């Protein structure tokens, strides 16, 4: 669904706080991490025991370092998804200015690409000067050199397993991994969700807003869908 953004939704788009779905997702992530952490922690202890008892320095320390590294990586994933990403988004809102962004969202030239009607938690918005993925990123068109979108495919079983509500399931059915290259050379990898049937109009609008940049979606352009 392509529409405008209603004024009562502006603040929701511009504030990356926790939704109930976020909390459920984080509980699942943390549960999976705990299982993984317990396994690798046991391996780490076993490595230390091997080092102490048998003086097998190479194998013991290798197992311990590997387990510790995987533990730290799991904690990093949890921190990144639960705290860091929202903090970064809110800082971006403050940097560009809330009043300026509200003005952009209220423009008659703004188009909101909804995955689920009127749900703004996963909406992607093209304003006169910004590309906004609600609660994920806000990027001025003036900074973009290229943006490539790659369709992600999940089985129905995977979608049902990972989501407790229809909004989350619909989000995954229309998910893309995105690689954005900035003019200064930095690269951002992220995710967006746009209805498959809306991808043609989404690409057209991006190319109108930033004609100097390259925008592409290989699956759509090969005629696989859309």
């Amino acid at each position: 669904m392509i529409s405008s953004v209603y004024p009562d939704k502006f603040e929701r788009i511009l504030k990356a706080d926790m939704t109930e779905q976020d909390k459920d997702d984080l509980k699942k992530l943390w549960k999976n991490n705990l299982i993984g952490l317990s396994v690798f922690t046991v391996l780490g202890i076993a490595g230390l025991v091997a080092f102490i008892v048998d003086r097998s320095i190479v194998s013991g320390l290798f197992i311990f370092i590997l387990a510790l590294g995987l533990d730290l990586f799991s904690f990093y994933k949890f921190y990144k998804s639960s705290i860091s990403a929202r903090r970064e988004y809110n800082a971006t809102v403050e940097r560009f200015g809330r009043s300026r962004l509200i003005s952009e969202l209220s423009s008659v030239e703004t188009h909101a690409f909804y995955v689920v009607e009127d749900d703004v938690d996963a909406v992607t918005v093209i304003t006169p000067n910004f590309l906004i993925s609600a609660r994920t990123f806000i990027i001025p068109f003036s900074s973009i050199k290229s943006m490539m979108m790659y369709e992600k495919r999940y089985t129905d079983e995977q979608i049902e397993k990972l989501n407790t509500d229809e909004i989350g399931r619909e989000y995954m059915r229309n998910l893309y991994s995105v690689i954005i290259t900035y003019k200064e050379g930095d690269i951002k990898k992220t995710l967006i969700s746009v209805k498959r049937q809306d991808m043609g109009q989404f690409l057209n609008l991006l190319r109108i807003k930033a004609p100097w940049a390259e925008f592409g979606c290989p699956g759509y352009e090969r005629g696989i869908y859309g």
Side-chain angles (χ1 to χ4, degrees):
M1 174 186 174
I2 306 171
S3 183
S4 57
V5 181
Y6 295 111
D8 63 335
K9 303 292 187 181
F10 293 166
E11 285 301 323
R12 179 61 194 155
I13 291 176
L14 297 179
K15 185 176 181 181
D17 56 357
M18 291 280 284
T19 66
E20 290 304 315
Q21 182 63 36
D22 289 333
K23 294 175 183 177
D24 289 340
D25 291 343
L26 286 174
K27 286 178 183 177
K28 290 179 182 178
L29 175 62
W30 188 234
K31 180 181 177 181
N32 292 336
N33 282 345
L34 282 177
I35 295 172
L37 288 172
S38 63
V39 171
F40 292 122
T41 300
V42 169
L43 288 175
I45 294 172
L48 282 180
V49 170
F51 169 67
I52 294 170
V53 174
D54 298 330
R55 298 296 178 181
S56 179
I57 297 175
V58 175
S59 60
L61 287 180
F62 174 77
I63 293 173
F64 177 72
I65 291 171
L66 177 62
L68 180 62
L70 290 170
D71 283 354
L72 291 174
F73 178 70
S74 295
F75 276 114
Y76 169 77
K77 281 176 59 182
F78 182 77
Y79 173 80
K80 186 74 173 176
S81 61
S82 62
I83 299 174
S84 178
R86 290 196 303 279
R87 184 179 293 170
E88 181 181 339
Y89 185 83
N90 290 332
T92 301
V93 171
E94 296 306 313
R95 184 168 75 250
F96 290 122
R98 188 172 299 273
S99 60
R100 178 187 179 189
L101 292 172
I102 288 175
S103 177
E104 291 277 334
L105 289 171
S106 61
S107 170
V108 294
E109 299 178 28
T110 290
H111 296 78
F113 290 77
Y114 294 92
V115 176
V116 175
E117 185 175 356
D118 292 335
D119 180 79
V120 296
D121 287 331
V123 71
T124 303
V125 185
I126 295 178
T127 77
N129 297 290
F130 290 89
L131 174 62
I132 300 174
S133 179
R135 305 167 62 244
T136 304
F137 64 77
I138 301 173
I139 300 175
F141 286 117
S142 60
S143 70
I144 298 176
K145 179 180 179 181
S146 68
M147 175 176 166
M148 298 300 296
M149 293 165 283
Y150 301 91
E151 181 182 14
K152 296 180 71 67
R153 284 289 187 180
Y154 297 93
T155 65
D156 290 340
E157 183 179 354
Q158 289 173 317
I159 292 173
E160 291 292 331
K161 182 179 179 180
L162 293 171
N163 294 277
T164 57
D165 65 1
E166 181 56 32
I167 292 175
R169 291 191 285 270
E170 195 64 17
Y171 175 81
M172 287 190 67
R173 292 186 190 110
N174 296 278
L175 193 62
Y176 297 83
S177 60
V178 182
I179 300 175
I180 300 171
T181 303
Y182 294 96
K183 288 180 177 179
E184 62 269 26
D186 293 339
I187 294 176
K188 180 180 182 65
K189 296 181 180 180
T190 186
L191 298 170
I192 62 168
S193 192
V194 175
K195 281 281 194 182
R196 304 290 189 223
Q197 62 265 32
D198 294 337
M199 180 50 69
Q201 190 165 345
F202 186 67
L203 283 169
N204 288 339
L205 281 171
L206 289 174
R207 289 163 179 164
I208 290 171
K209 299 297 181 182
W212 58 84
E214 178 186 1
F215 297 97
C217 180
Y220 175 80
E221 287 154 356
R222 290 198 303 268
I224 295 175
Y225 63 91

